[in-house]
Amino acid sequence: PHREVSAQPHLLAPKTDNMFRLVVAIAALLASAQAFTVAPRRAHMSMSVDRRGAVAKAFGALAVPAAVLSSGTAANAVIDYANVAYLGGGDKIDVNNANVRVYQKLKGMYPNAAGKIVSHGPYKSVSDVYSIPGLTEAEKSVIKANESKLVALEPATEYAIDRINNGLYR
C-alpha cells in the first residue's frame, strides 16, 4: 500500500522562517564581533588601507542593524499619547509634561516663570507650583492669573527630556 504525501508549504513556512532568522542573527553576531576587533600592530607604519579588512568591518557594522530589522518583532512604543492636547495643542497646559516654549501662549509666563516650572517638579497639583524655590512675587501673580489654564497630569517619561529644550530654535 502506497500512501501519497501532499506537500503543504504553509506548514513548513514558520519553521524555515524561524531558521532563517536564527541564521541571520548568528551571522550578524559573528560579523559584528569582527568589526570591533583590534588590528594587530605592524612593525612599520603604512598609510595604505587594507581593502578586505575595511569591507569586512563595514559589513560587520551593518550586520547588527540588518539582523534587528529582519527579526520581524514588533516594537513596543506608545504611538499616541492620550494627553497630547495638554502639551500645547489645547486650552490647558500640563505642568508636568509640557515644554517650556508652550508657556509662550500665556501672557507673562515665558521665559522666567515657565523656566522655573519646567525645571522643578513633578507636581501633584497645580498649587504645588507656588512652592518652587526662588519664585518671585511677580512670577507667583503671573501664575495665579493663568492658573485656570494649567493642569497637573501624571508625568510621562517620554516627555521629561524635552521639557526644557525640545531642539526647536526658531
Side-chain angles (χ1 to χ4, degrees):
H2 181 272
R3 288 187 357 188
E4 190 172 317
V5 178
S6 64
Q8 296 178 357
H10 64 280
L11 295 177
L12 298 176
K15 289 182 181 178
T16 55
D17 188 40
N18 288 339
M19 181 60 81
F20 173 74
R21 288 182 182 166
L22 179 64
V23 169
V24 168
I26 291 172
L29 183 63
L30 293 174
S32 64
Q34 182 185 0
F36 297 105
T37 58
V38 178
R41 290 195 84 151
R42 296 183 179 157
H44 64 282
M45 296 296 288
S46 173
M47 297 302 286
S48 67
V49 176
D50 177 22
R51 288 186 196 176
R52 183 180 295 171
V55 170
K57 286 190 178 196
F59 279 116
L62 293 175
V64 173
V68 170
L69 291 175
S70 69
S71 68
T73 58
N76 296 326
V78 176
I79 296 172
D80 293 323
Y81 176 59
N83 298 322
V84 74
Y86 300 104
L87 299 178
D91 296 339
K92 295 193 179 257
I93 296 174
D94 179 12
V95 294
N96 284 323
N97 297 305
N99 182 270
V100 69
R101 298 192 84 184
V102 172
Y103 291 91
Q104 289 177 334
K105 295 170 62 174
L106 305 178
K107 186 175 180 177
M109 292 284 288
Y110 184 84
N112 297 338
K116 290 179 182 177
I117 290 172
V118 300
S119 297
H120 295 80
Y123 308 101
K124 292 183 181 183
S125 69
V126 175
S127 61
D128 290 350
V129 170
Y130 296 105
S131 63
I132 294 172
L135 198 63
T136 66
E137 289 302 318
E139 291 166 341
K140 287 180 184 179
S141 66
V142 168
I143 293 170
K144 187 68 173 168
N146 293 295
E147 188 172 2
S148 64
K149 298 173 186 166
L150 303 175
V151 294
L153 301 175
E154 189 69 28
T157 56
E158 299 89 1
Y159 295 100
I161 194 168
D162 292 336
R163 291 188 68 214
I164 296 173
N165 181 3
N166 63 356
L168 299 176
Y169 300 106
R170 227 170 131 66

